[in-house]
Amino acid sequence: MARKFFVGGNWKCNGTTEEVKKIVSTLNEGQVPPPDVVEVVVSPPFVFLPLVKNLLRPDFHVAAQNCWVKKGGAFTGEVSAEMLVNLGIPWVILGHSERRLILNETNEFVGEKVAYALSKGLKVIACVGETLEQRESGTTVEVVAAQTKAIAERVSNWADVVLAYEPVWAIGTGKVATPAQAQEVHFELRKWFHANISPEVAATIRIIYGGSVNGANSKELAAQPDVDGFLVGGASLKPEFIDIIKSAE
Ligand code: PEP
């Protein structure tokens, strides 16, 4: 089964109502390949999710940028998976490096979040990736395998998971991984799924790349056999996001 190209836009903690409306109207006017060729999911901040969901073209979908690890309740400031389901939000990004590193989310905590979100019917973009220090010490594959294993220990149905390989040193830095560097880690992750989960999951799971992807470098990255799409930060707020979506073709 061919893996459908996936492009996610992570808007992070950006935007006012007016700016968000402007981004949505640019997306709505964009000429992109049809939904059987590319799946597009944009992730505004929580407070703009209903607005974006209501205004966005029907062939694009929305994701939250996080959700709480279990059922909601006395957890001030958190948003539960149940609330996202209630609002009709189909996707959630979990384990982004900004949350792992700034908010100290551990591999285990991310694994628990992924399992809980899936159990409530959300689809998950699960992020993994090494720091510069880890890359330079030669532990990249070990690090991303450990992050993936912590999810795998709690998840059995991978159909609703997209794995985003996002090297921390490439996020928001303008230092994109070379196509060969991205392909190497994606290949290793697929090999990990083959050995530890199943050949079927290895063949079907979408492994997308994130880290300084833009309209100029996306085509070459997309041509790598194990790169099944992108998670885009900065460039997802700009009109060039349409060019990135077009690299699916
Ligand atoms: C991200 O935050 O997921 C990301 C990939 O950011 P950027 O594209 O800005 O590097």
Side-chain angles (χ1 to χ4, degrees):
M1 193 180 80
R3 298 185 294 268
K4 193 198 288 186
F5 205 80
F6 183 101
V7 180
N10 175 13
W11 297 0
K12 310 196 189 193
C13 187
N14 288 298
T16 60
T17 304
E18 288 319 306
E19 286 164 352
V20 161
K21 283 183 179 166
K22 200 156 170 253
I23 298 168
V24 172
S25 77
T26 304
L27 293 177
N28 288 351
E29 285 158 17
Q31 301 286 319
V32 298
D36 60 320
V37 173
V38 63
E39 186 168 3
V40 180
V41 176
V42 295
S43 189
F46 282 124
V47 291
F48 298 125
L49 276 168
L51 174 72
V52 174
K53 184 176 153 49
N54 288 336
L55 297 180
L56 193 65
R57 56 196 287 171
D59 54 333
F60 288 9
H61 298 285
V62 288
Q65 295 175 18
N66 180 38
C67 66
W68 180 232
V69 66
K70 54 186 172 185
K71 189 169 161 36
F75 304 105
T76 303
E78 291 295 334
V79 170
S80 69
E82 288 85 353
M83 290 171 191
L84 298 177
V85 171
N86 180 247
L87 285 180
I89 308 300
W91 286 90
V92 61
I93 299 173
L94 293 172
H96 192 280
S97 62
E98 285 153 13
R99 297 199 62 87
R100 288 179 185 268
L101 297 172
I102 303 169
L103 295 157
N104 298 321
E105 292 194 2
T106 62
N107 289 356
E108 291 65 35
F109 190 64
V110 172
E112 283 170 30
K113 281 188 170 191
V114 174
Y116 190 76
L118 289 172
S119 79
K120 294 294 137 190
L122 291 169
K123 295 186 262 193
V124 175
I125 302 165
C127 305
V128 299
E130 83 287 3
T131 62
L132 184 60
E133 198 184 12
Q134 290 164 334
R135 173 160 281 263
E136 286 175 346
S137 65
T139 58
T140 296
V141 174
E142 205 178 296
V143 168
V144 297
Q147 291 168 333
T148 309
K149 181 168 177 276
I151 298 169
E153 279 168 355
R154 295 161 177 88
V155 166
S156 50
N157 174 11
W158 289 89
D160 289 337
V161 180
V162 168
L163 192 71
Y165 167 58
E166 299 207 297
V168 178
W169 48 270
I171 294 184
T173 59
K175 271 194 216 161
V176 64
T178 64
Q181 282 172 323
Q183 169 58 23
E184 185 187 7
V185 180
H186 286 226
F187 175 78
E188 288 296 336
L189 280 167
R190 211 174 291 289
K191 213 164 87 183
W192 186 91
F193 277 102
H194 196 280
N196 296 283
I197 308 295
S198 73
E200 291 71 31
V201 171
T204 52
I205 190 163
R206 288 173 294 178
I207 306 176
I208 63 174
Y209 168 80
S212 297
V213 174
N214 60 36
N217 60 31
S218 58
K219 195 89 199 163
E220 211 189 334
L221 285 159
Q224 302 304 306
D226 289 298
V227 174
D228 303 318
F230 302 115
L231 184 56
V232 184
S236 71
L237 299 163
K238 302 179 189 161
E240 71 185 287
F241 189 60
I242 296 293
D243 299 322
I244 297 171
I245 299 169
K246 285 183 181 160
S247 67
E249 280 179 324

